[in-house]
Amino acid sequence: MNLEQKFAALKAELAEVKAQMKAPEELAKIVRETTIETIKNAQRPGGLLHKK
């Protein structure tokens, strides 16, 4: 394996690692947005925070 091939393999591996790191960040963003929306809905009249 020459230097160019090693570099290409390293680049491909780095791209794969970056793709795997994005998934948890995207999931965290979805959870944050869902939590915010749930709290907003609970605060509205008729929401869970207003029920007795």
Side-chain angles (χ1 to χ4, degrees):
M1 188 182 262
N2 63 25
L3 186 59
E4 288 84 15
Q5 292 171 329
K6 288 180 181 180
F7 182 69
L10 181 59
K11 247 175 114 174
E13 185 68 27
L14 182 59
E16 185 178 330
V17 169
K18 283 183 179 181
Q20 289 174 354
M21 290 175 66
K22 271 191 170 182
E25 291 171 2
E26 291 173 3
L27 178 61
K29 180 180 175 187
I30 291 170
V31 170
R32 259 192 318 273
E33 291 172 354
T34 303
T35 303
I36 290 169
E37 193 61 34
T38 301
I39 292 170
K40 284 181 185 178
N41 288 339
Q43 292 173 339
R44 290 189 177 124
L48 288 175
L49 296 178
H50 293 280
K51 290 186 178 182
K52 294 185 180 192

